[in-house]
Amino acid sequence: MTDAEKISEIRRLAKERGAVILAHNYQRAEVQDAADCTGDSLELARKATEIEADVIVFCGVYFMAETAAILNPAKTVLIPDPTAGCPMADMITGAQLRELKARHPGAKAVCYVNSTAEVKAECDLCVTSGNAERVMQTFAPDEEIIFVPDQHLGSHIAGLLGRRYILWPGYCPTHAALTVKAIQDARAAHPGAPVLVHPECAKDIRDAADARLSTGGMCRFARESAAPEIIVGTEVGILHRLQQESPGKKFYPVSDRLVCPNMKKTTLENLLESLREMKTRVTVDADIARRAKRAIDAMLALG
Ligand code: 13P
Ligand code: SF4
């Protein structure tokens, strides 16, 4: 079967199963092409609340599918490869967060959406890179805040809002591979092109860029900017969507080594199998799901 034949079979089966396929911006190009909707974590979480179909097939990493399942307890949420995890999400456990909270009684706990359901269940609020600045502004200036697990997104938002947060030392191993030298080299190769990076990057990288944006923010920037060339400092899967939405512009990755191996675990083959066999269903313990949903709902209500 060619990729085009696999995509047409995926579309046929999705219709037959009453399924909607959601794909993150870092997915393989052909998986994005097979999906009903492509987006960043916030856009996909929102989309998951609007879907009428009974089945959601989530092409992304596990915490994303888990978030969709928490928001839709009555729906069937499938993930084509359940081993597609996010190493950053696994850098803190619920027990570790409980211990941290016990050391800071009275502090509000905020989790990046890249976290497990168990961690979300311990938090007052969840944020994504697309809404963190907006949502974190709602805390009173004197409130003590714990931010987990991404130290870089946490310090980025704290810097923007002039705050100090209690940070957990988690990080994204994919974005950790970016260097300032690679940004300088990309600027030298493409003079005048703005550099966009993800806020999961460390401070020296964020400071070396022109804008720090979620993947959805990067797509918006590309559509609205007059710049004919843009340098992109995030996972290379996003280049497909950028190029499709802005075909007249040129996009250059800061490094083509910026690949998230877990995002690449979803393929046309396992997506097809997922729909054929209705697997693998993502389930969350009911009590954890109920508590995690409070933090996600609080986020969606704020922006
Ligand atoms: P976005 O919400 O910006 O798409 O980020 C998700 C992610 O995992 C980035 O590494
Ligand atoms: Fe997790 Fe980083 Fe992959 Fe995003 S790019 S899913 S943060 S490992």
Side-chain angles (χ1 to χ4, degrees):
M1 261 174 136
T2 63
D3 277 3
E5 286 165 344
K6 285 176 199 160
I7 291 174
S8 109
E9 179 60 3
I10 286 165
R11 297 307 321 161
R12 189 192 68 75
L13 272 171
K15 199 167 172 205
E16 191 176 295
R17 304 281 194 229
V20 165
I21 303 172
L22 303 183
H24 186 263
N25 291 326
Y26 293 162
Q27 288 290 291
R28 293 171 186 273
E30 63 275 19
V31 171
Q32 294 189 33
D33 290 345
D36 291 283
C37 170
T38 306
D40 69 11
S41 308
L42 180 62
E43 290 160 347
L44 295 176
R46 280 226 182 90
K47 191 81 196 168
T49 63
E50 295 160 4
I51 284 171
E52 285 182 15
D54 293 331
V55 181
I56 298 172
V57 186
F58 210 109
C59 302
V61 289
Y62 200 84
F63 76 80
M64 296 178 173
E66 198 173 53
T67 302
I70 291 166
L71 289 168
N72 289 287
K75 292 193 196 299
T76 300
V77 177
L78 305 176
I79 185 164
D81 184 339
T83 72
C86 168
M88 182 211 283
D90 294 331
M91 286 179 187
I92 185 166
T93 63
Q96 285 172 314
L97 178 52
R98 280 192 293 276
E99 219 170 90
L100 183 63
K101 282 171 40 174
R103 280 192 270 128
H104 299 278
K108 289 275 165 33
V110 180
C111 59
Y112 186 23
V113 71
N114 296 41
S115 53
T116 61
E118 196 196 358
V119 164
K120 288 186 178 81
E122 296 293 332
C123 290
D124 299 287
L125 184 66
C126 176
V127 301
T128 76
S129 56
N131 65 8
E133 183 184 358
R134 209 163 57 239
V135 166
M136 299 287 284
Q137 263 170 5
T138 59
F139 285 111
D142 57 348
E143 256 171 323
E144 200 181 16
I145 292 164
I146 293 170
F147 190 94
V148 301
D150 187 9
Q151 58 179 306
H152 298 309
L153 178 65
S155 76
H156 174 57
I157 302 300
L160 290 175
L161 300 180
R163 301 284 299 254
R164 284 175 79 91
Y165 300 148
I166 299 155
L167 299 174
W168 188 259
Y171 64 94
C172 164
T174 299
H175 287 94
L178 247 177
T179 62
V180 172
K181 166 90 170 51
I183 292 180
Q184 288 164 345
D185 290 349
R187 282 196 195 275
H190 310 291
V195 176
L196 315 182
V197 299
H198 199 276
E200 285 175 14
C201 294
K203 186 168 186 329
D204 58 340
I205 307 290
R206 300 196 305 269
D207 289 348
D210 297 298
R212 295 134 287 271
L213 299 166
S214 71
T215 62
M218 289 183 189
C219 294
R220 230 170 355 263
F221 181 103
R223 289 194 302 269
E224 291 167 7
S225 162
E229 298 189 318
I230 296 173
I231 298 166
V232 183
T234 194
E235 214 272 356
V236 294
I238 195 175
L239 294 165
H240 179 66
R241 179 165 168 204
L242 288 170
Q243 201 63 75
Q244 280 205 321
E245 289 184 349
S246 309
K249 294 180 184 168
K250 288 209 169 84
F251 299 95
Y252 306 104
V254 174
S255 158
D256 48 22
R257 287 187 306 119
L258 275 186
V259 176
C260 173
N262 285 287
M263 282 285 182
K264 299 301 183 250
K265 284 187 176 175
T266 310
T267 60
L268 288 181
E269 290 74 24
N270 58 27
L271 173 55
L272 197 49
E273 199 180 322
S274 171
L275 280 160
R276 268 196 195 123
E277 298 180 22
M278 294 294 280
K279 68 173 199 188
T280 297
R281 188 165 182 181
V282 177
T283 54
V284 186
D285 168 86
D287 180 54
I288 290 180
R290 186 186 48 79
R291 291 190 290 130
K293 189 168 185 298
R294 282 198 311 231
I296 304 167
D297 283 344
M299 165 183 91
L300 294 174
L302 287 168

